[in-house]
Amino acid sequence: MDVRTELQLAAIAEITARLGRQGIAVWLRGGWAMDFHLGRITRPHADVDWFCWAAAADRLTVVLVELGFREYGEHDRRLQRDFLRDGVDLGVALLGRDAEGHAVVPAGPHAGARWPAGMLDGPPGHLDGLTCPIVSPQAQIEIKKMMPVWVPGLPRRDKDRADIELLTAALTGRNPFAGSGATAQDHRHAD
């Protein structure tokens, strides 16, 4: 395991524990959510992506700053908060709720657009003795498939195709590497 991966895992453990004590709900999303679902590290990750309720965003920011993270302004703060500490980059996408309680985009031109149904309802993921709330694997697949549609001009990335294959295989009980001679190592790409 490389140093960045070790630092990211340590940050995930620290953040999950601290926010849990503060009553601030977060869910891993992206590559780390997939790894926690699969129970193994599939590739190095450039960052750690999360979801958090927009109503808790200011409290989350205070806690992360107390943990030594520095907020930087890469995205619209109504939609995502970005943080950095010792080379560990966090992207916290914010969620709103519609009148029926569904997770939605909280602001901006797509305010009110629903995220996949059941996205936050899955069981937690487990990796290296850590347990962390994660986006459901079904929602991860839908998000990875739909991002180029939802964000015109965003290319479909090879790592997203590989992630979709790994998650689909895990959900169907199929080994995506069987017969190909490939291993999880062959599918590693930085997030």
Side-chain angles (χ1 to χ4, degrees):
M1 184 180 317
D2 66 25
V3 172
R4 180 168 57 183
T5 299
E6 289 176 2
L7 289 171
Q8 289 172 340
L9 273 172
I12 290 168
E14 180 182 26
I15 290 165
T16 301
R18 182 72 174 272
L19 293 177
R21 286 193 302 272
Q22 298 290 325
I24 301 170
V26 292
W27 296 263
L28 277 176
R29 62 185 175 94
W32 275 112
M34 179 183 73
D35 286 1
F36 269 76
H37 174 71
L38 297 174
R40 68 179 189 273
I41 298 170
T42 59
R43 66 169 181 269
H45 302 288
D47 57 10
V48 182
D49 296 314
W50 303 86
F51 275 121
C52 178
W53 295 112
D58 290 339
R59 290 177 43 227
L60 169 112
T61 299
V62 168
V63 171
L64 292 178
V65 168
E66 287 173 353
L67 292 174
F69 286 91
R70 172 183 59 81
E71 185 176 7
Y72 67 95
E74 184 169 307
H75 294 93
D76 180 339
R77 289 184 86 243
R78 300 172 303 154
L79 299 173
Q80 180 164 316
R81 304 283 173 98
D82 299 294
F83 302 90
L84 189 62
R85 179 185 79 185
D86 300 329
V88 175
D89 192 359
L90 309 176
V92 184
L94 303 179
L95 301 169
R97 278 188 230 257
D98 65 15
E100 287 129 22
H102 296 282
V104 298
V105 175
H110 303 289
R114 286 186 175 179
W115 284 98
M119 178 175 81
L120 308 177
D121 298 337
H126 307 278
L127 179 68
D128 276 1
L130 300 175
T131 299
C132 186
I134 61 171
V135 171
S136 75
Q138 296 85 350
Q140 291 178 60
I141 291 168
E142 183 176 345
I143 291 167
K144 286 178 177 293
K145 284 181 176 178
M146 293 303 297
M147 282 310 288
V149 175
W150 294 337
V151 184
L154 180 70
R156 188 165 312 277
R157 302 172 300 185
D158 289 339
K159 71 175 184 162
D160 292 330
R161 284 194 252 308
D163 289 356
I164 290 167
E165 182 180 338
L166 286 170
L167 288 166
T168 301
L171 290 172
T172 61
R174 187 173 46 83
N175 179 351
F177 308 116
S180 70
T183 67
Q185 296 286 342
D186 297 327
H187 290 274
R188 289 183 181 225
H189 305 281
D191 266 341

